[in-house]
Amino acid sequence: MSEKYVYYFGKLKAEGDAKMKNLLGGKGANLSEMVKIGIPVPPGFTISTEVCKYYYDHGKTYPVTLEKDVQEAVKLLEEETGKGFGSAERPLLVSVRSGAAISMPGMMDTILNLGLNDETVNGMIKESGNPRFCYDAYRRFLQMFGDVVLKIEHSEFENALASVKREKRVKLDTELDAENMKDVVERYLEVYKRAGKEFPQDPWKQLWMAIDAVFGSWMNERAIKYRALNGVKEGELLGTAVNIVAMVFGNTGEDSGTGVAFTRDPNTGEKQFYGEYLPNAQGEDVVAGTRTPFSLTKLQEINPEVYDQLLEIFTKLENHYRDMQDIEFTVEHGTLYLLQTRNGKRTPYASVKIAVDLAEEKRISKEEAIMRVTPEHIETLLHPYFTKETMESAEVLAKGIAASPGAAAGIVAFDPDTAERLVREEGKTVILVRPETSPEDIAGMAAAQGILTSTGGKTSHAAVVARGMGKTCIVGCEAVEVDQITRVMKVNGKTIREGEWISIDGTTGEVFMGKLDSIKPQGLEGPLAKLLGWADEIRKLGIRTNADTPKDSQVAREFGAEGIGLTRTEHMFFQEDRIFAVRQMITSNTKEQREKSLAKLLPMQEDDFYGIFMAMEGLPVTIRLLDPPLHEFLPKEEEDIKELAEEMGMTYQELKETIEDLHEFNPMMGFRGCRLAVVYPEIAEMQTKAIIGAALRLVEEGKSVIPEIMIPLIVELKELKYVKSIIVNAADEIISKSGLNLEYKVGTMIEVPRAALTADEIAKEAEFFSFGTNDLTQMTYGFSRDDYGKYVGHYMEKGILENDPFQKLDRFGVGQLVKMGTERGRSVRPDLKVGICGEHGGEPSSIEFCHIVGLNYVSCSPYRVPVARLAAAQAVVKNR
């Protein structure tokens, strides 16, 4: 750790800059940076994130020099502002705010107006001549300090405020006069007494208690959950910084106010200023969503000069940071101050559009543009939307502010715990409905399909967090009245109970009665198509798809797939028109009976492959021979067994015994994969004839076909040679008889550790490898894919496993087998083509590993092809 813990910023000096985010947090680093580039910022200082780490490492104590450093920084603040901290003449008030290296909106604690007490409030009144403003500032401080520092229930203060408003027969806080506000202050102090807590009159005591609270908030439940939801591992960051800034006041009258703005629209990415303004208010009024603000043009009406100055600053900040900025500002008696700037959270669509636009404006490179968009953005970008037919009969309940696009339907839940429980325990789809959301709601928002609030604006907590999560969200829907006690919501005369269905459109802001049908867009267009085109120029890995039908193949091709890495032929066998023939084949006692059944399946399989080859014309198609255990195809119901027995000329009992004989204690390591072809070579022969027959039909039509036949579950070279000979003999005979030219490859899946270890032997016969990382993970870990869910969560909670190994490729175990298998295979066959086709083929971290170890391609589900294209390009940029 360094010995410097406090960094000042203001007209006197600025000791930090934007590059110091890890040390000063995003907020502190950017405040210093703004000072350096001439942006009006209230002076202040930042206590570094190193102190946060020290605080937790040393039993919640501080470095011995910190108190002196803070005192010296406060003296500089006093010198610059001409005010005194704790002074009864011109009191200096400060805000105490958190600020981590990553943006965590609303997750940690903030305290405004610190330094007020019974004496300094009188000094403020004398200086300002505005007692109403001063008592309003005091009551805000009392509420924040009591809630954040002393953990007095927020509702206790709200109830006290509500009681005064009721007595004075007013609806809004702004309608209370100076005497009313003084009354509120007295009632707030009574709240402290009833809670058995003492309000500290000493400003220095207030300051250190607030610093304690902000550092303490780094480990509060909502902050921990936020970091977990956003993939930030504990220990990855030092902690939060604490920013202590001289207060500027937006609530000193109609010539003052506060706002939040974005330099581009965070919903659409359009290059236009976007934001909200509240006259005579403090920042928390906007962010908390307790009042519905006006658009930025309200500031233009009130003070055109300040509005023009703000627009100039927007442009200056975006040019400086080369990204869309999220800005908080305050106007105090017509003077503008910037309180914060940061790279703004945005919807997935806006994320893509802004990245593409900035690249086309030559502000960033194409490489930077692809790094600005996350694979998760791509995944959620194809937002669902309500069908036209559904909309024609939809009943609109109300309309609010469209805060995050998409269409969502779900049953109503009125609190985050209920939302979580309904999703986790009952598998329900939920819409979280709240008067407004708060940081404590984070887990419920993550669980919900969509969020609806009755207050708030486009920059309120609900809107910002929902956009970051890619959740559909509507805010400021004032027609929605939520009754938490009776668990109902009333909307324009309608009553909807918890558990009943509603639908919301985050693009239009409309709320609908009941469950509406939605669909996802099917194609890629506009900025996304352009961004993925740039990704294709950069990436080294090929991107294929796992597809078993012509329809899936076509979808994948439209999404940019460059072939099929895995067609599972067993999925075709389960279709209704052929399952009976499959069962006949499995239960046959003789080769002749099996061949008779296989003859029925041959034309069906050939048609299947013809459709897939047609959809993927000119691209490679890897078809895996029959893989799963045979018992999966057999009937389980008594009536089905009787019907099959009659068709087979067997008694019910004989067939039942045959089925029981096929039962295996551990079928995933049993009679499956290439073992079927070894025992029943006629199965592999039929499938080969179907594959080659379909390919030849297309060749005859003048089309290009690239078939690759893949043998699953190989463990031994002799095993591969045996099955390959069946395939080659059948394929060559058909091709020879056709008189046509057709090239094909025969390869294998590497999904058993022994195959990876002996890959140099196996490569003597295999023309390509495809790592089946699902089974390879299962056999390496000894975790059953079907049962591991019972315990893997406990392993991750206790830190035994960092990730679910079936979701993210284990680089240190399974990954080493992939690396070793690839290297050993290519030592024998230098041109060996290698890919993976397990679920990891669409997961960004796993894709990066595949790039690092030099695979040729990854294969994933059709809808993850765009994700894989981006992730493969990002892997190149990251590992240059």
Side-chain angles (χ1 to χ4, degrees):
M1 289 180 64
S2 64
E3 292 186 10
K4 184 173 178 60
Y5 301 121
V6 174
Y7 294 76
Y8 188 84
F9 55 86
K11 290 178 183 175
L12 298 175
K13 60 180 177 178
E15 296 181 311
D17 59 44
K19 296 174 184 173
M20 298 169 69
K21 279 188 179 181
N22 287 336
L23 186 66
L24 303 182
K27 190 172 294 175
N30 285 333
L31 285 167
S32 278
E33 186 77 9
M34 283 195 287
V35 168
K36 287 187 170 180
I37 62 173
I39 304 292
V41 170
F45 58 91
T46 302
I47 303 173
S48 76
T49 58
E50 288 185 330
V51 177
C52 186
K53 185 173 188 322
Y54 186 100
Y55 179 79
Y56 285 103
D57 287 349
H58 295 80
K60 298 188 176 180
T61 61
Y62 296 116
V64 291
T65 60
L66 184 66
E67 185 174 357
K68 178 173 171 290
D69 293 344
V70 169
Q71 287 171 348
E72 288 177 357
V74 170
K75 281 181 186 175
L76 286 175
L77 266 184
E78 291 174 326
E79 182 183 337
E80 185 162 331
T81 61
K83 297 180 179 181
F85 188 58
S87 168
E89 294 301 315
R90 296 193 68 217
L92 169 66
L93 306 188
V94 296
S95 64
V96 181
R97 297 173 181 262
S98 61
I102 61 165
S103 174
M104 296 171 59
M107 294 303 113
M108 292 178 295
D109 292 326
T110 294
I111 297 151
L112 304 180
N113 306 323
L114 188 143
L116 277 171
N117 57 26
D118 293 346
E119 188 178 356
T120 56
V121 73
N122 291 322
M124 270 188 75
I125 292 170
K126 186 178 177 182
E127 181 190 2
S128 69
N130 187 343
R132 192 228 174 261
F133 148 66
C134 298
Y135 284 120
D136 182 35
Y138 196 6
R139 69 97 186 171
R140 289 170 185 269
F141 173 51
L142 286 168
Q143 181 164 342
M144 280 188 169
F145 192 86
D147 178 18
V148 171
V149 178
L150 297 178
K151 308 303 178 189
I152 300 171
E153 284 295 329
H154 178 78
S155 59
E156 292 291 318
F157 296 104
E158 288 300 314
N159 292 339
L161 177 62
S163 68
V164 175
K165 288 196 285 188
R166 273 197 308 273
E167 289 168 17
K168 303 304 174 186
R169 296 183 179 179
V170 299
K171 185 178 179 182
L172 301 174
D173 305 356
T174 50
E175 297 175 277
L176 296 173
D177 62 21
E179 281 303 311
N180 301 153
M181 279 298 177
K182 186 176 181 182
D183 190 7
V184 173
V185 167
E186 289 168 358
R187 296 194 194 194
Y188 277 12
L189 289 169
E190 285 297 319
V191 168
Y192 277 80
K193 289 178 184 175
R194 286 199 303 273
K197 304 291 177 73
E198 181 183 350
F199 171 70
Q201 292 284 334
D202 178 1
W204 281 102
K205 188 172 183 181
Q206 294 172 5
L207 180 61
W208 283 105
M209 289 174 74
I211 292 169
D212 287 347
V214 172
F215 280 134
S217 72
W218 176 251
M219 295 304 290
N220 69 29
E221 185 179 355
R222 66 179 185 262
I224 291 169
K225 278 192 176 180
Y226 185 91
R227 292 195 291 274
L229 286 167
N230 287 275
V232 180
K233 297 179 179 64
E234 291 306 322
E236 194 172 314
L237 302 174
L238 289 172
T240 182
V242 177
N243 299 288
I244 295 161
V245 185
M247 283 296 302
V248 288
F249 299 97
N251 57 334
T252 55
E254 290 304 313
D255 64 346
S256 303
T258 187
V260 176
F262 296 83
T263 57
R264 300 187 187 220
D265 189 321
N267 286 316
T268 66
E270 292 297 327
K271 191 176 180 181
Q272 58 189 30
F273 301 131
Y274 173 105
E276 295 168 326
Y277 183 71
L278 258 180
N280 197 17
Q282 283 197 325
E284 290 302 300
D285 297 331
V286 178
V287 176
T290 52
R291 286 170 60 186
T292 302
F294 301 97
S295 72
L296 273 181
T297 53
K298 186 71 175 177
L299 175 59
Q300 189 177 26
E301 290 173 22
I302 296 169
N303 193 327
E305 289 182 9
V306 170
Y307 178 78
D308 290 342
Q309 183 190 1
L310 185 63
L311 297 194
E312 286 176 17
I313 287 171
F314 286 171
T315 303
K316 188 172 186 177
L317 286 173
E318 187 172 280
N319 288 339
H320 184 75
Y321 285 99
R322 301 186 312 132
D323 201 355
M324 182 261 276
Q325 293 298 292
D326 170 2
I327 294 155
E328 291 180 22
F329 65 94
T330 285
V331 180
E332 182 182 75
H333 291 311
T335 301
L336 176 66
Y337 295 94
L338 270 287
L339 307 183
Q340 173 176 293
T341 191
R342 61 189 173 194
N343 293 340
K345 290 191 178 294
R346 59 207 79 178
T347 63
Y349 181 84
S351 182
V352 172
K353 178 163 175 52
I354 290 169
V356 170
D357 285 352
L358 288 171
E360 292 189 326
E361 291 165 19
K362 306 297 183 187
R363 299 197 195 188
I364 61 175
S365 66
K366 290 179 181 178
E367 286 82 359
E368 285 178 287
I370 67 164
M371 296 305 291
R372 295 267 179 102
V373 178
T374 69
E376 290 76 20
H377 282 148
I378 301 296
E379 188 174 12
T380 59
L381 185 59
L382 302 178
H383 275 294
Y385 58 89
F386 295 128
T387 63
K388 184 180 178 183
E389 296 74 21
T390 299
M391 292 297 290
E392 287 171 358
S393 59
E395 179 184 353
V396 179
L397 285 170
K399 187 167 184 179
I401 299 168
S404 185
I411 62 171
V412 171
F414 292 122
D415 65 76
D417 291 340
T418 300
E420 273 195 287
R421 177 180 56 77
L422 288 170
V423 173
R424 184 181 63 248
E425 296 178 10
E426 300 183 30
K428 303 290 188 185
T429 303
V430 168
I431 303 293
L432 179 63
V433 181
R434 304 283 278 157
E436 73 272 342
T437 64
S438 69
E440 285 81 3
D441 296 344
I442 183 73
M445 294 175 74
Q449 195 78 6
I451 297 114
L452 170 64
T453 70
S454 49
T455 65
K458 290 178 181 178
T459 53
S460 64
H461 174 266
V464 171
V465 174
R467 276 197 296 271
M469 290 179 168
K471 300 279 183 181
T472 299
C473 180
I474 297 173
V475 297
C477 190
E478 295 179 355
V480 173
E481 297 177 31
V482 178
D483 189 327
Q484 295 280 16
I485 297 170
T486 59
R487 313 297 285 179
V488 299
M489 61 184 271
K490 294 181 179 178
V491 192
N492 292 326
K494 302 269 186 179
T495 298
I496 297 163
R497 302 184 186 284
E498 192 161 60
E500 294 182 346
W501 283 85
I502 63 167
S503 301
I504 61 174
D505 189 328
T507 306
T508 65
E510 292 173 305
V511 182
F512 304 94
M513 179 72 90
K515 181 181 181 181
L516 302 188
D517 294 329
S518 62
I519 57 175
K520 275 193 170 185
Q522 292 296 305
L524 304 176
E525 56 189 13
L528 178 56
K530 189 165 285 185
L531 184 84
L532 291 176
W534 295 343
D536 293 340
E537 294 170 13
I538 294 166
R539 65 181 166 87
K540 307 296 184 189
L541 280 169
I543 309 297
R544 297 199 193 183
T545 189
N546 301 337
D548 309 330
T549 67
K551 181 183 176 185
D552 285 349
S553 304
Q554 188 60 45
V555 168
R557 186 162 193 163
E558 288 169 3
F559 281 161
E562 298 163 320
I564 292 180
L566 175 64
T567 291
R568 302 173 178 92
T569 56
E570 58 272 7
H571 288 187
M572 305 165 181
F573 282 15
F574 283 103
Q575 293 178 30
E576 196 173 341
D577 62 346
R578 59 192 77 177
I579 188 65
F580 200 81
V582 173
R583 287 169 174 172
Q584 283 180 320
M585 180 265 292
I586 292 168
T587 55
S588 296
N589 291 323
T590 66
K591 181 179 179 182
E592 289 71 29
Q593 283 181 320
R594 268 191 301 281
E595 287 177 335
K596 186 178 176 183
S597 301
L598 288 166
K600 295 178 187 176
L601 293 169
L602 175 59
M604 300 176 188
Q605 281 256 282
E606 187 174 308
D607 285 344
D608 293 330
F609 298 138
Y610 177 85
I612 291 169
F613 285 141
M614 178 69 82
M616 283 287 168
E617 183 192 354
L619 298 175
V621 175
T622 304
I623 297 171
R624 183 179 71 187
L625 298 184
L626 189 63
D627 183 44
L630 294 179
H631 78 274
E632 289 190 9
F633 298 100
L634 294 176
K636 295 173 180 63
E637 302 298 325
E638 191 171 326
E639 286 303 312
D640 293 335
I641 296 173
K642 284 179 180 176
E643 184 183 353
L644 181 59
E646 189 176 330
E647 178 71 24
M648 295 291 295
M650 301 168 70
T651 67
Y652 170 82
Q653 192 58 38
E654 285 173 332
L655 181 56
K656 199 153 189 286
E657 287 173 6
T658 300
I659 292 170
E660 287 171 359
D661 286 344
L662 286 165
H663 173 76
E664 296 176 291
F665 288 108
N666 195 344
M668 292 311 290
M669 297 177 74
F671 189 28
R672 55 170 285 220
C674 61
R675 297 156 200 174
L676 297 173
V678 169
V679 178
Y680 302 131
E682 51 274 18
I683 297 177
E685 188 177 342
M686 181 278 288
Q687 291 199 289
T688 301
K689 288 178 179 178
I691 294 166
I692 300 301
L696 288 170
R697 282 165 58 185
L698 271 87
V699 170
E700 207 163 16
E701 294 169 14
K703 293 183 170 60
S704 172
V705 193
I706 309 172
E708 299 177 343
I709 301 172
M710 185 158 68
I711 304 168
L713 217 68
I714 287 292
V715 298
E716 162 62 45
L717 174 61
K718 293 173 188 172
E719 181 183 43
L720 175 59
K721 286 179 76 171
Y722 177 80
V723 180
K724 182 181 176 182
S725 68
I726 298 165
I727 295 167
V728 170
N729 290 338
D732 288 353
E733 183 181 349
I734 300 169
I735 294 169
S736 177
K737 284 181 180 177
S738 74
L740 300 169
N741 290 321
L742 175 67
E743 292 186 6
Y744 65 93
K745 284 185 168 64
V746 180
T748 186
M749 286 189 84
I750 305 291
E751 49 194 327
V752 177
R754 189 179 192 278
L757 294 167
T758 61
D760 49 347
E761 284 292 302
I762 288 172
K764 292 174 183 176
E765 290 291 334
E767 296 174 90
F768 64 87
F769 283 174
S770 179
F771 285 92
T773 52
N774 299 347
D775 268 337
L776 191 58
T777 299
Q778 175 173 243
M779 296 191 192
T780 303
Y781 272 88
F783 287 175
S784 165
R785 285 163 58 189
D786 298 318
D787 303 311
Y788 86 109
K790 296 172 185 175
Y791 50 84
V792 73
H794 295 283
Y795 271 59
M796 289 193 289
E797 281 172 21
K798 293 169 183 175
I800 297 169
L801 286 177
E802 199 169 298
N803 301 293
D804 178 340
F806 289 98
Q807 299 295 318
K808 188 176 285 191
L809 185 69
D810 160 37
R811 296 188 180 193
F812 301 102
V814 179
Q816 292 311 301
L817 289 171
V818 172
K819 183 173 185 287
M820 182 190 305
T822 302
E823 290 170 351
R824 291 188 178 184
R826 286 178 177 160
S827 71
V828 172
R829 193 185 289 265
D831 62 347
L832 183 73
K833 186 168 59 180
V834 183
I836 68 166
C837 59
E839 291 304 309
H840 301 101
E843 194 281 314
S845 168
S846 309
I847 291 169
E848 182 185 17
F849 180 77
C850 293
H851 166 78
I852 291 167
V853 299
L855 268 58
N856 298 95
Y857 69 87
V858 296
S859 189
C860 58
S861 66
Y863 284 90
R864 289 195 68 82
V865 166
V867 174
R869 290 166 65 189
L870 179 71
Q874 290 180 337
V876 173
V877 177
K878 278 196 230 175
N879 291 281
R880 276 182 174 160

PDB file of all heavy atoms in Angstrom, residues 252-267:
ATOM      1  N   THR A 252     -32.486  25.466  -3.419  1.00  0.00           N
ATOM      2  CA  THR A 252     -32.504  26.802  -2.805  1.00  0.00           C
ATOM      3  C   THR A 252     -33.524  27.728  -3.461  1.00  0.00           C
ATOM      4  O   THR A 252     -33.517  28.934  -3.204  1.00  0.00           O
ATOM      5  CB  THR A 252     -31.104  27.450  -2.910  1.00  0.00           C
ATOM      6  OG1 THR A 252     -30.704  27.462  -4.282  1.00  0.00           O
ATOM      7  CG2 THR A 252     -30.088  26.705  -2.085  1.00  0.00           C
ATOM      8  N   GLY A 253     -34.372  27.177  -4.338  1.00  0.00           N
ATOM      9  CA  GLY A 253     -35.386  27.992  -5.000  1.00  0.00           C
ATOM     10  C   GLY A 253     -35.533  27.599  -6.449  1.00  0.00           C
ATOM     11  O   GLY A 253     -34.876  26.677  -6.941  1.00  0.00           O
ATOM     12  N   GLU A 254     -36.392  28.286  -7.161  1.00  0.00           N
ATOM     13  CA  GLU A 254     -36.696  27.916  -8.545  1.00  0.00           C
ATOM     14  C   GLU A 254     -35.547  28.194  -9.506  1.00  0.00           C
ATOM     15  O   GLU A 254     -35.554  27.696 -10.624  1.00  0.00           O
ATOM     16  CB  GLU A 254     -37.957  28.665  -9.015  1.00  0.00           C
ATOM     17  CG  GLU A 254     -39.236  28.177  -8.342  1.00  0.00           C
ATOM     18  CD  GLU A 254     -39.474  26.683  -8.502  1.00  0.00           C
ATOM     19  OE1 GLU A 254     -39.346  26.177  -9.637  1.00  0.00           O
ATOM     20  OE2 GLU A 254     -39.778  26.002  -7.499  1.00  0.00           O
ATOM     21  N   ASP A 255     -34.546  29.009  -9.091  1.00  0.00           N
ATOM     22  CA  ASP A 255     -33.381  29.219  -9.959  1.00  0.00           C
ATOM     23  C   ASP A 255     -32.312  28.162  -9.710  1.00  0.00           C
ATOM     24  O   ASP A 255     -31.193  28.249 -10.218  1.00  0.00           O
ATOM     25  CB  ASP A 255     -32.792  30.620  -9.753  1.00  0.00           C
ATOM     26  CG  ASP A 255     -32.248  30.819  -8.338  1.00  0.00           C
ATOM     27  OD1 ASP A 255     -32.557  29.997  -7.450  1.00  0.00           O
ATOM     28  OD2 ASP A 255     -31.503  31.799  -8.125  1.00  0.00           O
ATOM     29  N   SER A 256     -32.668  27.153  -8.927  1.00  0.00           N
ATOM     30  CA  SER A 256     -31.753  26.042  -8.627  1.00  0.00           C
ATOM     31  C   SER A 256     -32.441  24.732  -9.002  1.00  0.00           C
ATOM     32  O   SER A 256     -33.650  24.684  -9.238  1.00  0.00           O
ATOM     33  CB  SER A 256     -31.387  26.036  -7.144  1.00  0.00           C
ATOM     34  OG  SER A 256     -30.812  27.269  -6.764  1.00  0.00           O
ATOM     35  N   GLY A 257     -31.653  23.694  -9.054  1.00  0.00           N
ATOM     36  CA  GLY A 257     -32.243  22.392  -9.388  1.00  0.00           C
ATOM     37  C   GLY A 257     -31.176  21.340  -9.568  1.00  0.00           C
ATOM     38  O   GLY A 257     -29.977  21.593  -9.377  1.00  0.00           O
ATOM     39  N   THR A 258     -31.618  20.176  -9.949  1.00  0.00           N
ATOM     40  CA  THR A 258     -30.692  19.048 -10.085  1.00  0.00           C
ATOM     41  C   THR A 258     -31.131  18.177 -11.256  1.00  0.00           C
ATOM     42  O   THR A 258     -32.311  18.157 -11.621  1.00  0.00           O
ATOM     43  CB  THR A 258     -30.653  18.225  -8.791  1.00  0.00           C
ATOM     44  OG1 THR A 258     -29.630  17.226  -8.894  1.00  0.00           O
ATOM     45  CG2 THR A 258     -31.984  17.519  -8.536  1.00  0.00           C
ATOM     46  N   GLY A 259     -30.179  17.498 -11.841  1.00  0.00           N
ATOM     47  CA  GLY A 259     -30.526  16.672 -12.992  1.00  0.00           C
ATOM     48  C   GLY A 259     -29.554  15.539 -13.224  1.00  0.00           C
ATOM     49  O   GLY A 259     -28.448  15.507 -12.682  1.00  0.00           O
ATOM     50  N   VAL A 260     -30.012  14.617 -14.030  1.00  0.00           N
ATOM     51  CA  VAL A 260     -29.189  13.495 -14.504  1.00  0.00           C
ATOM     52  C   VAL A 260     -29.350  13.475 -16.013  1.00  0.00           C
ATOM     53  O   VAL A 260     -30.467  13.615 -16.535  1.00  0.00           O
ATOM     54  CB  VAL A 260     -29.662  12.165 -13.902  1.00  0.00           C
ATOM     55  CG1 VAL A 260     -28.855  11.004 -14.485  1.00  0.00           C
ATOM     56  CG2 VAL A 260     -29.543  12.172 -12.386  1.00  0.00           C
ATOM     57  N   ALA A 261     -28.250  13.312 -16.721  1.00  0.00           N
ATOM     58  CA  ALA A 261     -28.335  13.349 -18.181  1.00  0.00           C
ATOM     59  C   ALA A 261     -27.328  12.395 -18.815  1.00  0.00           C
ATOM     60  O   ALA A 261     -26.339  12.002 -18.184  1.00  0.00           O
ATOM     61  CB  ALA A 261     -28.082  14.763 -18.685  1.00  0.00           C
ATOM     62  N   PHE A 262     -27.610  12.039 -20.048  1.00  0.00           N
ATOM     63  CA  PHE A 262     -26.729  11.184 -20.845  1.00  0.00           C
ATOM     64  C   PHE A 262     -26.393  11.929 -22.125  1.00  0.00           C
ATOM     65  O   PHE A 262     -27.246  12.640 -22.677  1.00  0.00           O
ATOM     66  CB  PHE A 262     -27.416   9.868 -21.198  1.00  0.00           C
ATOM     67  CG  PHE A 262     -27.745   9.010 -20.006  1.00  0.00           C
ATOM     68  CD1 PHE A 262     -28.898   9.236 -19.273  1.00  0.00           C
ATOM     69  CD2 PHE A 262     -26.912   7.974 -19.625  1.00  0.00           C
ATOM     70  CE1 PHE A 262     -29.212   8.447 -18.184  1.00  0.00           C
ATOM     71  CE2 PHE A 262     -27.217   7.184 -18.534  1.00  0.00           C
ATOM     72  CZ  PHE A 262     -28.372   7.419 -17.803  1.00  0.00           C
ATOM     73  N   THR A 263     -25.176  11.742 -22.612  1.00  0.00           N
ATOM     74  CA  THR A 263     -24.778  12.442 -23.834  1.00  0.00           C
ATOM     75  C   THR A 263     -25.361  11.788 -25.080  1.00  0.00           C
ATOM     76  O   THR A 263     -25.303  12.365 -26.163  1.00  0.00           O
ATOM     77  CB  THR A 263     -23.249  12.510 -23.955  1.00  0.00           C
ATOM     78  OG1 THR A 263     -22.719  11.174 -23.917  1.00  0.00           O
ATOM     79  CG2 THR A 263     -22.647  13.323 -22.823  1.00  0.00           C
ATOM     80  N   ARG A 264     -25.891  10.577 -24.934  1.00  0.00           N
ATOM     81  CA  ARG A 264     -26.661   9.922 -26.001  1.00  0.00           C
ATOM     82  C   ARG A 264     -27.811   9.171 -25.340  1.00  0.00           C
ATOM     83  O   ARG A 264     -27.768   8.893 -24.136  1.00  0.00           O
ATOM     84  CB  ARG A 264     -25.795   8.952 -26.817  1.00  0.00           C
ATOM     85  CG  ARG A 264     -24.619   9.643 -27.485  1.00  0.00           C
ATOM     86  CD  ARG A 264     -23.843   8.765 -28.436  1.00  0.00           C
ATOM     87  NE  ARG A 264     -22.653   9.491 -28.884  1.00  0.00           N
ATOM     88  CZ  ARG A 264     -22.173   9.478 -30.121  1.00  0.00           C
ATOM     89  NH1 ARG A 264     -22.772   8.770 -31.068  1.00  0.00           N
ATOM     90  NH2 ARG A 264     -21.096  10.179 -30.431  1.00  0.00           N
ATOM     91  N   ASP A 265     -28.800   8.834 -26.125  1.00  0.00           N
ATOM     92  CA  ASP A 265     -29.964   8.147 -25.579  1.00  0.00           C
ATOM     93  C   ASP A 265     -29.557   6.738 -25.126  1.00  0.00           C
ATOM     94  O   ASP A 265     -29.135   5.921 -25.955  1.00  0.00           O
ATOM     95  CB  ASP A 265     -31.059   8.049 -26.652  1.00  0.00           C
ATOM     96  CG  ASP A 265     -32.368   7.544 -26.102  1.00  0.00           C
ATOM     97  OD1 ASP A 265     -32.350   6.633 -25.245  1.00  0.00           O
ATOM     98  OD2 ASP A 265     -33.429   8.028 -26.553  1.00  0.00           O
ATOM     99  N   PRO A 266     -29.645   6.425 -23.823  1.00  0.00           N
ATOM    100  CA  PRO A 266     -29.195   5.110 -23.348  1.00  0.00           C
ATOM    101  C   PRO A 266     -30.128   3.963 -23.731  1.00  0.00           C
ATOM    102  O   PRO A 266     -29.778   2.808 -23.560  1.00  0.00           O
ATOM    103  CB  PRO A 266     -29.164   5.285 -21.821  1.00  0.00           C
ATOM    104  CG  PRO A 266     -30.189   6.334 -21.551  1.00  0.00           C
ATOM    105  CD  PRO A 266     -30.154   7.260 -22.720  1.00  0.00           C
ATOM    106  N   ASN A 267     -31.302   4.281 -24.254  1.00  0.00           N
ATOM    107  CA  ASN A 267     -32.220   3.238 -24.718  1.00  0.00           C
ATOM    108  C   ASN A 267     -31.964   2.851 -26.170  1.00  0.00           C
ATOM    109  O   ASN A 267     -31.912   1.676 -26.507  1.00  0.00           O
ATOM    110  CB  ASN A 267     -33.674   3.704 -24.582  1.00  0.00           C
ATOM    111  CG  ASN A 267     -34.132   3.706 -23.148  1.00  0.00           C
ATOM    112  OD1 ASN A 267     -33.873   2.768 -22.414  1.00  0.00           O
ATOM    113  ND2 ASN A 267     -34.779   4.778 -22.736  1.00  0.00           N
TER     114      ASN A 267
END
